[in-house]
Amino acid sequence: MKGIITVVGKDKVGIIANVCSFLSAENINILDISQTIVQGYFNMMMIVDYANATKAFGDVADDMNALGEKIGVIIRCQKEEIFAKMHRI
């Protein structure tokens, strides 16, 4: 199962490290990643593979949300099929 993770917030040291460390600990593989910083604001989008995750998708999404609050960014997780349906033209 693939998912889309977005991370947005004021740029600071450690955002990528915190997010990637969390994903690694949960056995979630990063398939693709894009990140930019625009006028001091950090924006990252990741496509990840949840196939071997140690927790259910909903639990991972909740934990990512809590991580975002802890490090001062907004982290959202969506299943790929839902994301694709929401963003098709």
Side-chain angles (χ1 to χ4, degrees), residues 16-70:
I16 296 172
N18 277 284
V19 172
C20 290
S21 292
F22 173 87
L23 294 173
S24 176
E26 298 301 332
N27 205 33
I28 297 169
N29 189 36
I30 299 168
L31 301 173
D32 202 353
I33 183 171
S34 171
Q35 67 93 36
T36 59
I37 300 168
V38 178
Q39 295 185 4
Y41 289 93
F42 179 87
N43 185 3
M44 179 168 65
M45 180 175 172
M46 307 170 94
I47 300 173
V48 298
D49 182 359
Y50 287 95
N52 297 314
T54 58
K55 295 180 183 174
F57 177 85
D59 293 333
V60 170
D62 290 343
D63 289 350
M64 291 288 289
N65 194 6
L67 174 63
E69 289 178 15
K70 178 182 170 187

